[in-house]
Amino acid sequence: MKTEIESIAGETPGIAYQLIVHRFSGSDDSAPRVYIQAGLHADERPGVAALHYLIPMLEQAEAEGRLLGSLTLVPHANPIGAAQHLYGEHMGRFATGTRTNFNRDFPVPDENGVRVLDRASAPVFAERRLKSRLLELADGCPIVLDLHCDDESVQYIYAPEQLWPEMSDLAACLDAEAALLWDSGSDRAFEEAVFEQMTAQAPDGDLSGHCVTTVELRGQNDVTAALGKKDAEGIYRFLQGRGVVAADGKSAPALRADFVGKPIRHIDMVRAPVGGTILFHVAPGDRVEAGQMLAEIIVNPGSKDGTVAVSAPQAGYVLTRRIRRFIRMGDNLLKIIGDAPVASRKGALED
Ligand SMILES: [Zn+2]
């Protein structure tokens, strides 16, 4: 493994960010190339833990001559967001200087397939130059994993519909509970920008063997040695299945029996009808019926009518729920994968 520390200039004198890039050189030029990053939303740490365990596994494979494909790993993909704190609270999702989500507004190819990236010296904000650099590092890799997490959540992956069910091998290896399949814009998230570039570069639109995904490694607090190892082993197994690491003769795992894979238009975002203190009655992974109580929100503590009940808009599967227990009217309370599609659903699920 070779490690390079790249520098991203800040916007003001005396400020620079370090982007640590690890590279593994595989022995077989025909094996797929892989790009994996974690921490693009800098407050989402399960992916960093997974890479902490995956990197030594890949080093061992490299030392033993079992590494076929080349890999680029960026375990701290967002040093800008990692450094943002406001009154002691970490702010890792949006660039505070531009109010832009770190995982939106990536450059994508135009109708002629031409993508314009910001150069390292371009006179634009650092987060734009970072985004261009991350895309550049992923260029030419048919396998791209962007490791994220949700608030409180089961493990699920996003996948372009065009690459499903081929990408179900990843979900099976990770032991993921669910997949959301998308076929239209997500406000130019990293995954979407990579997929569009792959499509622009693919002769005849053939993307077989490709895999590009945002992996939601459960919830923000699901950061443990046990889960990090499990996720690293899952990714390693997937890489073996795709011929990046030599196979060991073990059979490929199957999807979980209770796996839920649905188009993203089935996502029912349940919002808080009032502000207050949340008492959840369901958890991620629960199956719910239409009208079932999902949560109560305490508005007037101690009063007989002091809570407002929130019920399921339709039958489905509880995918995620809010991590904090105080909520404003209109905030996202839960995400449900509904049995039926939601007519109004379009664009990215969240800001
Ligand atoms: Zn994220």
Side-chain angles (χ1 to χ4, degrees), residues 231-243:
D231 293 338
E233 283 163 8
I235 294 170
Y236 191 86
R237 196 83 190 274
F238 163 73
L239 295 175
Q240 286 183 307
R242 291 287 181 123

Side-chain angles (χ1 to χ4, degrees), residues 41 44 93 148-149:
H41 281 144
E44 299 175 2
R93 187 173 181 85
H148 287 247
C149 70

